């Protein structure tokens, strides 16, 4: 049975009835905002929530019995949740007027071990797999199937059935991650199939024959598969190295054209076989295109990528490996602007009718045959081709003509071609420039190889191109370098301390500069010092000046002298203050100098012992102790607070603790009252700077007390005068 694939049309069916047209007009704005995959008329009803694990129930919308769950209405929104082992049944319609009526299903962490079963076809189904949901179905199938949403759907069977007379087959998957663990013959796509957005479909074969099959209906030419945006289709085997009795391929297309574009990705691998035939990675009887930045990876025991039709690769990248056959086989193989890595036992690249390569990079390796082969004409243009074959085989061969232009060709044999112009040809380790060659991208002469640029030929390295010589380049012709040449075997030239040697081959500097001849004399400016090369004036040991502190004026390294503005310290507290003898209070002075600069204290020009004072920060606080102050004579003194930045000085006064009170004496005597006043010295000790108490007399005192006071005064006066006479 032949299989095929087709592309989904998300704009609705061909025969839309009046009711659907009315709904489409009513909700056109909503549909413009909806994903492409659900551009069919979306019902507006609130979802009918069905707990599939719930009790038996029957209503107009659905029925739950012991044996199954029946979804009764199309064009109605359903939300399915819960867990069940029952199957969920859907009935389609053969009425042409109902062909666009779909089942709209939202999967909310649904687990259905019985799967979705179509009891009557055709069926159109639109399935939402919301973000952050993880759903499991035994199987899912429909004639027209749309799946969207960024959630996850796990299933064992995923089929788009064949079209009917009323409904075309179609598949459209957008953004959803679908994991299919495939049993035998349980994965099939028909019709028009589009995988888009960030969708990831992974098929893992777990049976004896379980490839993903495309376009299975013979004679149907409407099948196609399109991978676009960032979509990925991956077809793997659960145990690829364990042989099967059948030929098991990764992806089989019997009638579906395959197209990749944008940044899409296709990967497929075959399973080992004990039978007569080995499995293909990808096999298609319809055309295939790999466009844009898309990528194909294929592994096969037979051909890794086999297209029994036209294979066009334009801008894409291909990586294929075949254990026993070709890497890539196509009737007509056209490669443009592509990156190809191909490995096989037989020709890694095999264009049966024709093979053309342009603006591409090809690495083709055959372990048992010619690396690149066609039964027709071969053309290589503006390309880099590395063809590796056994020593007794040719690297590149065409049954008809071979034309090579503006290319870099490396082969393993001694080969000649019908026409080769403006190219580099390596036969084994010996290469030569033919005509005028322009390097494309990057080229390398490996260490064991020799490239001869013959007289009259030119090798041009254009802007942004790179040419690396790790071997030997003999220049008898001309090298024009506007890009980058890297040569490991330089010769000639002379280095100085300002320029490396220049290779006579590639005109590039190489090696090391000579050492500088530095003077022992230090050069300097206001901020830095250095030693200078006497040839090129290059600097070494460049650094900032080093001083002992903020006041130091001479650099310790180079002797540079700087100007330092040093502020003379001054006394900011205690200026011209007084202190009385016998006071127990300490005497405080403050200098505005930094405490870190403090050195000593001087009194009257002599440095005093530190035990006579205390010092502390803020700026510099000096407290003279009272015991010391009592040793100083009465009168003026000078204190100096000495710092590294200078001395702050002020005068202070030591006062006597004796207070003289004058008394008047007019030498007149009166028997009753006396106006005579004599000077009486009364000694009163004043402590803690308190005023001396004065004796007050008044007329209101008792006359006897006054008389006794006067009498006592005369006695004291007589005694004092006697002492003076003595």
């Amino acid at each position: 049975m032949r299989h095929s694939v087709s592309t989904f049309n998300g704009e609705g069916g061909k025969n839309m009835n009046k009711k659907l047209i009315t709904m489409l007009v009513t909700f056109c704005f909503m549909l413009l905002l909806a994903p492409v995959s659900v551009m069919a008329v979306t019902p507006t009803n609130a979802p009918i929530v069905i707990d599939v694990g719930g009790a038996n129930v029957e209503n107009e919308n659905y029925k739950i019995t012991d044996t199954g769950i029946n979804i009764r209405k199309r064009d109605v929104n359903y939300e399915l949740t819960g867990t069940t082992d029952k199957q969920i049944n859907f009935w389609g319609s053969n009425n042409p007027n109902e062909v666009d009526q779909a089942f709209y299903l939202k999967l909310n962490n649904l687990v259905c071990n019985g799967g979705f079963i179509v009891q009557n076809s055709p069926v159109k189904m639109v399935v939402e797999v919301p973000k952050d949901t993880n759903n499991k179905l035994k199987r899912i199938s429909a004639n027209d199937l749309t799946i969207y949403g960024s959630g996850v759907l796990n299933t064992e069977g995923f089929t788009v059935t064949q079209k009917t007379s009323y409904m075309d087959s179609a598949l459209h998957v957008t953004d959803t991650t679908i994991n299919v663990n495939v049993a035998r013959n349980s994965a099939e796509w028909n019709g028009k199939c589009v995988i888009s957005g960030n969708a990831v479909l992974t098929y893992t074969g777990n049976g004896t024959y379980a490839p993903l099959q495309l376009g299975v209906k013979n004679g149907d030419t409407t099948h196609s598969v399109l991978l676009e945006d960032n979509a990925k289709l991956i077809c793997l085997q659960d145990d690829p190295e364990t042989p099967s009795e059948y030929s098991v391929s990764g992806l089989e297309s019997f009638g579906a054209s395959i197209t990749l574009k944008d940044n899409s990705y296709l990967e497929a691998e075959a399973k080992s076989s004990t039978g007569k035939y080995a499995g293909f990675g990808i096999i298609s009887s319809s055309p295939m295109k790999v466009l844009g930045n898309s990528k194909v990876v294929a592994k096969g025991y037979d051909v890794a990528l086999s297209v029994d039709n036209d294979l066009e690769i334009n801008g894409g990248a291909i990586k294929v490996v075949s254990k026993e056959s070709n890497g890539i086989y196509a009737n007509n193989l056209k490669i443009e602007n592509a990156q190809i890595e191909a490995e096989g036992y037989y020709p890694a690249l095999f264009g049966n009718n024709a093979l053309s390569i342009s603006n591409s990079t090809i690495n083709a390796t055959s372990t048992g045959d010619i690396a690149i082969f066609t039964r027709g004409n071969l053309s290589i243009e503006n390309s880099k081709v590395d063809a590796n074959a056994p020593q007794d085989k040719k690297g590149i061969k065409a049954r008809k003509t071979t034309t090579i232009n503006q290319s870099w060709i490396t082969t393993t044999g001694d080969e000649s071609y019908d026409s080769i112009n403006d190219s580099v040809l390596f036969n084994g380790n010996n290469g030569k420039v033919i005509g005028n060659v322009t390097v494309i991208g990057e080229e390398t002469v490996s260490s064991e190889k020799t490239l001869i640029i013959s007289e009259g030929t030119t090798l041009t390295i254009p802007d942004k191109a790179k040419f690396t010589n790790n071997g030997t380049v003999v220049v008898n012709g001309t090298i024009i370098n506007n890009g980058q040449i890297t040569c490991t075997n330089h010769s000639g030239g002379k280095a100085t301390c300002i320029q490396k040697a220049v290779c006579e081959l590639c005109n590039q500097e190489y090696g090391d500069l000579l050492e500088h001849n530095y003077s022992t004399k230090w050069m300097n400016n206001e901020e830095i010092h250095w030693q200078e090369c006497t040839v090129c004036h290059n600097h070494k040991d460049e650094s900032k000046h080093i001083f002992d502190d903020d006041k130091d004026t001479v650099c310790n390294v180079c002797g540079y002298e700087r100007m330092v503005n040093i502020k003379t310290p001054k006394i900011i507290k205690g200026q011209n203050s007084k202190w009385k003898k016998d006071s127990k209070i300490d005497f405080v002075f403050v200098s505005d100098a930094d405490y870190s600069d403090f050195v000593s204290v001087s009194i009257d020009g002599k440095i005093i012992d530190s035990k006579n004072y205390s010092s502390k920060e803020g700026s510099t606080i000096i407290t003279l102790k009272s015991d010391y102050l009592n040793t100083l004579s009465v009168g003026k003194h000078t204190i100096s607070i000495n710092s590294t930045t200078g001395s702050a000085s002020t005068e202070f006064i030591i006062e006597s603790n004796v207070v003289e009170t004058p008394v008047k004496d007019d030498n007149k005597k009166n028997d009753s009252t006396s106006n005579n006043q004599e000077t009486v010295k009364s000694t009163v000790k004043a402590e803690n700077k308190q005023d001396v108490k004065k004796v007050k007399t008044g007329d209101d005192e008792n006359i006897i007390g006054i008389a006794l006071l006067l009498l006592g005064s005369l006695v004291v006066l007589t005694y004092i005068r006697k002492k003076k006479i003595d």
Side-chain angles (χ1 to χ4, degrees):
M1 188 177 190
R2 303 219 14 122
H3 304 348
S4 101
V5 177
S6 88
T7 299
F8 172 76
N9 185 346
E11 297 179 356
K14 298 179 179 178
N15 301 308
M16 184 173 293
N17 59 28
K18 293 182 179 180
K19 179 181 177 181
L20 294 178
I21 293 174
T22 302
M23 294 175 65
L24 178 63
V25 173
T26 303
F27 302 104
C28 61
F29 182 73
M30 179 186 300
L31 296 176
L32 288 172
L33 298 178
V36 175
S37 59
V38 284
M39 288 301 290
V41 179
T42 304
T44 58
N45 68 290
I48 298 170
V49 179
I50 303 175
D51 184 353
V52 298
N56 292 351
V57 66
E58 182 176 1
N59 55 49
E60 63 177 345
N61 296 307
Y62 65 94
K63 180 180 180 181
I64 301 177
T65 69
D66 292 337
T67 58
I69 301 171
N70 300 333
I71 306 298
R72 288 179 162 176
K73 287 188 176 183
R74 295 184 295 274
D75 287 352
V76 173
N77 284 319
Y78 291 91
E79 181 176 333
L80 305 179
T81 187
T83 300
T84 183
D85 291 331
K86 303 172 186 178
Q87 65 185 33
I88 301 177
N89 303 303
F90 301 86
W91 279 263
S93 175
N94 289 317
N95 186 341
N97 294 323
E98 299 176 347
V99 69
D100 285 313
Q101 295 179 356
F103 291 98
Y104 291 87
L105 310 171
K106 181 178 181 180
L107 309 186
N108 187 0
N109 293 309
L110 173 69
V111 177
C112 181
N113 296 320
F116 289 0
I117 304 299
V118 175
Q119 300 290 359
N120 185 37
S121 69
V123 166
K124 186 174 186 176
M125 193 177 292
V126 178
V127 180
E128 180 185 0
V129 185
K131 182 180 179 182
D132 298 327
T133 66
N134 195 316
N135 306 274
K136 179 182 178 182
L137 296 174
K138 180 71 173 179
R139 65 182 65 87
I140 182 172
S141 66
N143 298 85
D144 188 325
L145 179 60
T146 296
I147 301 177
Y148 70 99
S150 58
V152 177
L153 174 61
N154 303 291
T155 182
E156 296 178 12
F158 188 89
T159 298
V160 181
T161 56
Q162 300 174 16
K163 71 177 183 178
T164 69
S165 58
Y166 302 107
M167 182 183 293
D168 290 334
S169 297
L171 171 67
H172 199 162
V173 179
T174 303
D175 295 330
T176 310
T177 297
I178 302 176
N179 301 310
V180 188
N181 199 348
V182 188
R184 179 178 173 87
N185 294 335
S186 59
E188 174 184 315
W189 294 1
N190 293 286
K192 296 180 179 178
C193 306
V194 178
I195 314 300
S196 61
N198 294 308
V200 180
L201 278 72
T202 303
Y203 283 78
T204 303
N206 63 3
T208 57
Y209 184 74
L212 174 59
Q213 298 177 320
L214 311 177
V216 296
K217 187 174 182 180
N218 291 327
D220 190 345
T221 61
T222 63
H223 304 286
S224 63
V225 173
L226 172 63
L227 300 179
E228 61 182 2
D229 303 326
N230 297 305
K232 296 180 179 180
L233 175 60
I234 303 170
C235 303
L236 307 175
Q237 307 293 331
D238 64 343
D239 189 9
E241 301 297 329
T242 300
S244 170
E245 60 181 313
Y246 300 98
S247 172
V248 181
S249 300
L251 177 65
E252 296 181 348
S253 177
F254 296 96
S257 62
I258 302 173
T259 302
L260 287 80
K261 67 177 186 177
D262 304 325
N263 295 299
S264 59
Y265 177 84
L266 172 61
E267 181 179 356
E269 69 176 1
K271 186 177 180 64
S272 177
S273 174
T274 59
K276 181 178 180 180
Y277 302 103
F280 296 79
I282 300 171
I283 180 170
S284 176
S285 60
S286 298
M288 181 173 177
K289 294 182 178 181
V290 182
L291 311 174
N293 293 316
S294 57
K295 186 175 182 180
V296 175
V297 177
K299 299 177 183 178
Y301 290 86
D302 206 308
V303 182
L305 173 58
S306 178
V307 181
D308 194 15
N309 210 297
D310 296 339
L311 173 57
E312 179 185 350
I313 306 168
N314 193 336
I318 306 290
K319 185 175 182 179
V320 294
V321 177
S322 172
K323 299 285 188 180
E324 302 171 7
S325 188
N326 310 111
I328 298 176
Y329 171 88
N331 277 353
N332 297 291
L333 180 55
K334 185 177 182 180
I335 302 172
E336 297 180 275
N337 307 302
Q339 303 280 330
I340 307 294
E341 292 183 46
E343 181 179 339
Y345 179 81
Y346 294 120
L349 294 184
F350 191 158
N352 188 42
N353 298 327
L355 173 57
S356 65
I357 301 170
S358 63
N359 302 303
S360 298
T361 299
I362 309 295
N363 192 326
T365 300
S366 173
T367 57
D369 206 340
I370 301 167
I372 300 174
F373 175 74
T374 177
R375 291 190 175 98
N377 296 319
L378 171 64
S379 66
I380 301 175
E381 192 86 20
N382 294 316
S383 296
K384 178 180 179 180
V385 178
D386 195 351
N388 300 293
Q391 290 296 322
D392 60 338
K393 304 292 184 179
K394 292 184 178 296
I396 301 172
K397 184 178 180 179
R399 289 275 179 88
K400 296 182 179 180
T401 60
T402 300
T403 303
I404 300 174
N405 291 301
Q406 282 291 347
S407 297
W408 191 287
I409 308 297
T410 301
T411 73
T412 51
D414 186 10
E415 302 174 23
S416 61
Y417 305 102
D418 301 284
S419 176
I420 180 167
N421 300 296
D422 300 329
S423 299
V424 170
L425 175 62
F426 274 95
N427 286 315
N429 292 329
N430 299 315
K432 58 183 179 181
V433 174
I434 302 171
N436 299 314
V437 178
T438 299
V439 172
I440 302 172
E442 299 183 19
E443 298 292 350
T444 299
V445 179
S446 57
S447 59
E448 71 280 3
K449 294 183 177 182
T450 298
L451 176 64
I452 298 175
I453 306 174
S454 302
E455 186 176 354
T457 65
T458 302
L459 180 65
T460 299
I461 297 87
D463 183 34
K464 298 181 180 180
K466 296 181 180 181
F467 175 70
T468 301
N469 173 35
N470 295 325
T472 301
V473 178
V474 180
V475 183
N476 295 321
T478 303
I479 290 181
I480 300 174
N481 180 26
N482 296 315
Q484 178 180 336
I485 298 179
T486 302
C487 183
T488 59
N489 290 328
H490 301 289
S491 62
K494 183 178 180 180
T496 69
C497 66
I498 57 176
Q499 186 177 2
K500 296 178 180 180
V502 178
C503 178
E504 294 177 343
L505 173 65
C506 62
N507 293 320
Q508 297 295 310
E509 292 183 346
Y510 73 97
D512 298 323
L513 298 173
L514 295 180
E515 294 184 358
H516 295 287
N517 182 22
Y518 291 106
S519 173
T520 58
K521 181 181 178 181
W522 287 99
M523 308 294 291
N524 54 46
N525 56 28
E526 293 181 355
E527 296 182 354
I528 60 174
H529 55 245
W530 66 91
Q531 289 181 311
E532 192 171 279
C533 177
T534 59
V535 177
C536 66
H537 307 294
N538 187 67
H539 295 181
K540 80 166 184 175
D541 297 336
E542 185 176 285
S543 66
K544 292 183 177 181
H545 294 301
I546 299 174
F547 300 96
D548 291 336
D549 49 47
D550 293 340
K551 290 81 179 178
D552 189 11
T553 60
V554 180
C555 175
N556 296 337
V557 177
C558 69
Y560 173 79
E561 296 185 8
R562 66 175 180 175
M563 297 293 295
V564 178
N565 293 324
I566 301 176
K567 182 179 70 172
T568 302
K570 63 181 179 179
I571 301 297
I572 58 176
K573 184 177 180 181
Q575 310 96 311
N576 303 312
S577 55
K578 298 178 180 181
W579 189 88
K580 283 190 176 186
K581 285 271 191 178
D582 297 329
S583 173
K584 296 182 180 180
I585 299 175
D586 297 335
F587 211 175
V588 178
F589 298 88
V590 180
S591 168
D592 64 356
D594 292 340
Y595 186 66
S596 59
D597 296 331
F598 173 69
V599 177
S600 64
V601 176
S602 299
I603 300 296
D604 300 328
K606 295 181 179 181
I607 296 175
I608 65 176
D609 196 305
S610 61
K611 69 181 182 180
N612 296 321
Y613 64 88
S614 63
S615 64
K616 64 179 182 179
E617 186 176 5
S619 298
T620 302
I621 302 173
I622 301 298
T623 303
L624 296 178
K625 297 180 179 180
S626 60
D627 291 344
Y628 170 74
L629 290 168
N630 277 313
T631 66
L632 299 178
S633 62
V634 175
K636 289 184 178 181
H637 297 273
T638 300
I639 182 173
S640 299
I641 301 175
N642 306 313
S643 303
T644 58
T645 56
S647 297
S649 300
T650 187
E651 290 184 342
F652 66 94
I653 298 174
I654 301 294
E655 294 182 332
S656 173
N657 62 352
V658 178
V659 178
E660 294 184 353
T661 304
V663 179
K664 292 182 178 181
D665 182 13
D666 54 5
N667 293 317
K668 297 180 178 180
K669 296 181 180 180
N670 191 308
D671 293 336
S672 60
T673 61
S674 177
N675 293 322
N676 295 334
Q677 297 182 359
E678 297 190 41
T679 302
V680 180
K681 292 184 179 179
S682 179
T683 303
V684 181
K685 292 186 178 178
E687 296 182 359
N688 297 325
K689 297 184 177 181
Q690 296 179 356
D691 294 338
V692 177
K693 295 181 180 179
K694 297 179 180 179
V695 179
K696 295 182 179 181
T697 60
D699 294 336
D700 58 340
E701 297 291 336
N702 188 292
I703 192 66
I704 296 174
I706 296 173
L708 290 174
L709 180 62
L710 292 174
L711 180 62
S713 299
L714 290 173
V715 173
V716 171
L717 182 60
T718 302
Y719 176 77
I720 293 172
R721 287 180 174 178
K722 183 179 179 182
K723 293 289 288 184
K724 288 182 178 180
I725 294 172
D726 292 344

